Structure formats: structure tokens, C-alpha cells
Amino acid sequence: MDDLDHAILGALRHNARIAVSSLAAMTGASRATVAARIDRMVADGTIAGFTIKTGSELRAAGVRAIVMIEVVGKFADKVAHQLRGLPEVRALHSTNGRWDFVAELEDRDLASFDETLRRIRLIEGINNTESNILLKTSKVSY
């Protein structure tokens, strides 16, 4: 990937519906070059899809939170598999540092969120968790 690919991806993250002609004008490349670059990035998996997020989708979940998870080393794969199976876990990230995983959760209310945390803490291999409820989102960029 070169600077042109990065510029195209950045613009598409900001607006997935931007016209190829607008991307060409923005980057100084020809429309055919931009279209070919997008096609190549789709074909090689760099771009997995084009989507939008609406405000109502962001507000649909009553409770959104980030949960940091510490795992006993030999259980990491098993824990990751079980976390990916929970519908409340919208994204799961492996990390370095104190926490082994960071899970993004969405739940309908605090009681449901409490139950989800309880189920997570009961997964064999999870040693410790720390949760942060997200109060307000002021920027989302994909």
C-alpha cells in the first residue's frame, strides 16, 4: 500500500459513499486509477466491505461498554472463542500490556449488562476484568 491507497482508504472511512470522481479530484489521481485501486483493495481483502452507521444504530443499545480482560495464559484461545460467541460482544481485540483482551459490549439495559459481565467472569481462564461504561460518543470513524 502506498500513499494513494492510504488517502483513498481515509476518505472512504470518512464517507463510504464518496464518488470515485471526488476521490480522484481529492487525490490528484485519475478516475480510472482510483477505481482500479479500490477494486484491487476489495479483491485482496484490504477493503472488506462498504457500510454506514446511523445515529439510531449507535443509540439502539441501552448500555455500551469496554471491558478489559486478563486471562491465564494457557486459556487465551479458549477464552477468545467463548467471548466471540457472546452476542453482546460486538468486537474483541487482543492487546499488549496489562490486559490480554478488550471487548466492546452492547446490552439493552444495566441489568442485562450486569448479567453479561457475570457470564464473562465465569468463563474458565479469565483472571480479572475491568469495565468502563461508555456515556457519550462524539466521533465515530470507520
Side-chain angles (χ1 to χ4, degrees), residues 67-84 92-103 120-130:
V67 179
M68 284 75 70
I69 301 165
E70 179 184 28
V71 177
V72 176
K74 67 180 182 177
F75 290 101
D77 291 339
K78 180 181 174 186
V79 167
H81 178 74
Q82 289 187 308
L83 288 169
R84 285 191 302 266
L92 182 64
H93 312 276
S94 60
T95 66
N96 65 334
R98 165 131 171 61
W99 304 103
D100 299 299
F101 294 107
V102 174
I120 288 172
R121 290 176 179 143
L122 290 175
I123 294 173
E124 183 181 15
I126 290 184
N127 191 46
N128 194 13
T129 64
E130 181 178 311

